[in-house]
Amino acid sequence: MSDAKRPVGVALVGMGTVGTEVLRYMETNGDELAARIGAPLELRGIAVRDTSKDRGVDSSLLTDDPVSLTLREDVDVVVEVMGGIDIAKPLLIGALNAGKAVVTANKALLAEYTDELAEAADSTESDLYFEAAVAGAIPVLGPLRRSMAGDQVERVVGIVNGTTNFILSEMDSTGAAYSETLAEASRLGYAEADPTADVEGYDAAAKAAILASIAFHSRVTAKDVYREGISAITPAQFESARHMECTIKLLALCEKVRRSDGTEAVSARVYPALIPLGHPLASVDGAYNAVVVEAEAAGRLMFYGQGAGGAPTASAVLGDLVAAARNKVMGGRAPGESTYRALPVATIDDVVTRYHVSMSVHDRAGVLSQVAAEFSNHGVSIAQVRQTESEQGAELVVLTHRAAERDLAATVSALSEMDSVREIVSVIRLEGEDQ
Ligand SMILES: NC(=O)C1=CN([C@@H]2O[C@H](COP(=O)(O)OP(=O)(O)OC[C@H]3O[C@@H](n4cnc5c(N)ncnc54)[C@H](O)[C@@H]3O)[C@@H](O)[C@H]2O)C=CC1
Ligand SMILES: N[C@@H](CC=O)C(=O)O
Ligand code: NA
């Protein structure tokens, strides 16, 4: 057999929601994949935690020793879909050091350690692919890395977590509380093994770090990303959003910003925000994700599709597997890491946006002007005020014009000290008015 026709050996690590679907499509579409690669894929083994469990596969393929499996001579590509960092990190670095190509969906790992993984990949000129790690099935990393390699990306804004988008969509349409819909998101295979990663924004922050690093050619890790989750979002906030013809979405925002000292920096942040109903991201519902990329020459691009779930994620993994296997057969290598710009990371204080501040106040003369004065004292300009009466007093909702986060924070802190303000009920940012 000529070298070009030699089968490409694959090690699958993890056989959960995603791994099961990867395997299914490898089997059912094997001939087509072979035609695209120029050689058949051959599964050398599957690393699982419990080899005694019946998984409907040839049990001789199962092993609980992922290290030995991935380092086998006849393994060319390692597909890692088990998640976690402690085992996956040395496993994948070891595989790359041994010259194996790696395909992974593990955003938690990539958001912290892409530099170490890329260094190992470079040491043996191996491939490291991870399209599934951001926005599931949606091809977004490939386009950013390849198709947009000649452009200057200015901003990336997206809904990149299927679980929270599913929950927020349900809260908006049915008035349900977030905890009621979380179990359903887990059942549907959207949520992480520990769903705290989803609802508290860690998963989206990991994806924001990966997106920002690739978009701006500068290393951003998950720790650099400002993060707020959705667990404090209430049905009342949705009601308030509707008054403003808005909805609430958990957004990942990555952009180049000018800091107060005039230097350029990268801002990466994740938080629930109001967005106008007419904004293209407002109609992205359920486990769907969407990523809007703004670039100097391209203008605005939008990528949309299923961001979570076994089969959609398997689509991205399989695309990478075909690419990595084809490189093994034909030669060549995927574009490597490109973080030559080494921009500093901006803090949340450097962000400028609009705010919706809801507070409970004593219903007496002069309160409105005192509150307005506090915004003005900190240089935060008010766009709208709405007051509603309640048994306890009054609720005051203030929508600001664009203001710096540090000024808004100082305003809120001063308001919370005022005698006439009973409680700051919520502060939520308003994004996407420039669409
Ligand atoms: N489910 C989804 O929608 C998406 C998941 N991902 C990522 O894909 C990866 C896998 O996710 P899921 O399939 O949803 O998770 P899962 O929890 O359903 O599957 C992971 C599997 O790996 C196994 N595993 C864990 N440690 C192991 C070890 N040391 N050796 C062998 N097997 C081990 C677990 O027993 C489990 O069966 C994660 O990194 C996740 O963040 C990425 C995009 C979407
Ligand atoms: N838990 C994640 C899975 C995909 O990355 C999500 O809900 O988006
Ligand atoms: Na993707």
Side-chain angles (χ1 to χ4, degrees):
M1 189 182 277
S2 79
D3 213 25
K5 296 274 169 60
R6 186 177 68 80
V8 177
V10 179
L12 181 64
V13 181
M15 199 185 161
T17 304
V18 180
T20 303
E21 293 299 310
V22 169
L23 197 56
R24 190 156 74 84
Y25 289 105
M26 272 177 75
E27 280 167 2
T28 55
N29 297 339
D31 291 345
E32 292 247 16
L33 299 183
R36 294 173 199 177
I37 292 164
L41 292 173
E42 267 185 22
L43 188 63
R44 305 297 184 210
I46 308 169
V48 294
R49 263 201 192 121
D50 177 4
T51 54
S52 65
K53 192 168 145 192
D54 180 18
R55 296 166 192 270
V57 295
D58 175 357
S59 61
S60 69
L61 287 169
L62 300 178
T63 172
D64 56 9
D65 180 359
V67 176
S68 301
L69 170 64
T70 52
L71 295 179
R72 266 171 61 158
E73 276 282 299
D74 59 355
V75 164
D76 301 293
V77 185
V78 172
V79 176
E80 185 269 310
V81 281
M82 73 174 164
I85 293 180
D86 295 350
I87 297 175
K89 183 185 170 205
L91 184 79
L92 297 190
I93 289 178
L96 291 163
N97 280 334
K100 317 292 184 189
V102 164
V103 173
T104 175
N106 192 334
K107 52 263 161 126
L109 173 65
L110 291 156
E112 290 294 347
Y113 299 108
T114 296
D115 50 354
E116 290 181 49
L117 292 166
E119 199 182 310
D122 285 344
S123 73
T124 53
E125 300 195 351
S126 300
D127 277 337
L128 171 62
Y129 280 101
F130 46 92
E131 182 60 70
V134 178
I138 307 172
V140 62
L141 302 185
L144 277 173
R145 233 194 247 288
R146 286 188 292 272
S147 320
M148 304 192 72
D151 210 337
Q152 300 293 330
V153 176
E154 302 292 340
R155 197 160 192 253
V156 181
V157 181
I159 293 170
V160 294
N161 182 269
T163 303
T164 47
N165 202 50
F166 177 83
I167 293 170
L168 293 174
S169 302
E170 288 289 304
M171 285 178 79
D172 199 9
S173 59
T174 70
Y178 103 97
S179 53
E180 291 169 32
T181 47
L182 175 58
E184 179 67 354
S186 292
R187 194 187 64 75
L188 292 166
Y190 306 149
E192 295 302 300
D194 175 2
T196 312
D198 296 294
V199 295
E200 295 305 343
Y202 293 99
D203 178 79
K207 291 163 176 168
I210 297 168
L211 281 169
S213 299
I214 294 175
F216 305 128
H217 301 272
S218 203
R219 174 72 56 220
V220 177
T221 68
K223 287 193 219 62
D224 298 323
V225 180
Y226 176 82
R227 176 199 54 78
E228 289 173 24
I230 65 158
S231 57
I233 296 293
T234 60
Q237 282 176 310
F238 272 102
E239 207 182 308
S240 192
R242 274 190 288 277
H243 274 288
M244 297 174 56
E245 301 195 354
C246 284
T247 188
I248 300 171
K249 295 289 184 190
L250 184 71
L251 298 182
L253 299 109
C254 312
E255 60 189 346
K256 281 193 247 170
V257 293
R258 285 256 158 234
R259 296 192 292 189
S260 44
D261 63 3
T263 54
E264 190 179 43
V266 173
S267 166
R269 52 200 201 269
V270 166
Y271 44 64
L274 293 164
I275 51 171
L277 292 175
H279 189 285
L281 291 177
S283 50
V284 175
D285 284 331
Y288 278 79
N289 284 186
V291 180
V292 177
V293 178
E294 292 170 17
E296 186 181 13
R300 185 171 288 155
L301 303 168
M302 182 159 167
F303 302 85
Y304 170 81
Q306 294 188 70
T313 308
S315 167
V317 171
L318 287 158
D320 284 352
L321 172 57
V322 167
R326 204 194 290 126
N327 289 347
K328 286 284 179 191
V329 173
M330 312 288 186
R333 205 185 156 206
E337 278 304 285
S338 162
T339 50
Y340 63 90
R341 296 195 68 200
L343 291 170
V345 179
T347 68
I348 189 69
D349 282 348
D350 290 308
V351 167
V352 175
T353 189
R354 299 186 67 183
Y355 304 87
H356 174 277
V357 182
S358 168
M359 65 201 103
S360 164
V361 297
H362 293 287
D363 198 2
R364 56 187 182 223
V367 170
L368 188 56
S369 60
Q370 287 166 14
V371 166
E374 213 53 83
F375 277 86
S376 165
N377 289 344
H378 294 91
V380 179
S381 163
I382 292 177
Q384 277 179 35
V385 178
R386 185 163 54 86
Q387 183 169 347
T388 48
E389 309 280 312
S390 74
E391 275 173 20
Q392 295 78 35
E395 198 200 350
L396 205 55
V397 173
V398 174
L399 179 67
T400 74
H401 286 295
R402 283 170 67 78
E405 187 86 23
R406 64 168 63 79
D407 296 334
L408 193 280
T411 310
V412 170
S413 162
L415 289 170
S416 62
E417 299 292 311
M418 284 172 59
D419 286 345
S420 45
V421 174
R422 297 157 64 100
E423 187 192 0
I424 303 293
V425 178
S426 76
V427 178
I428 186 161
R429 299 168 186 87
L430 170 66
E431 300 284 349
E433 282 213 312
D434 51 337
Q435 296 290 318

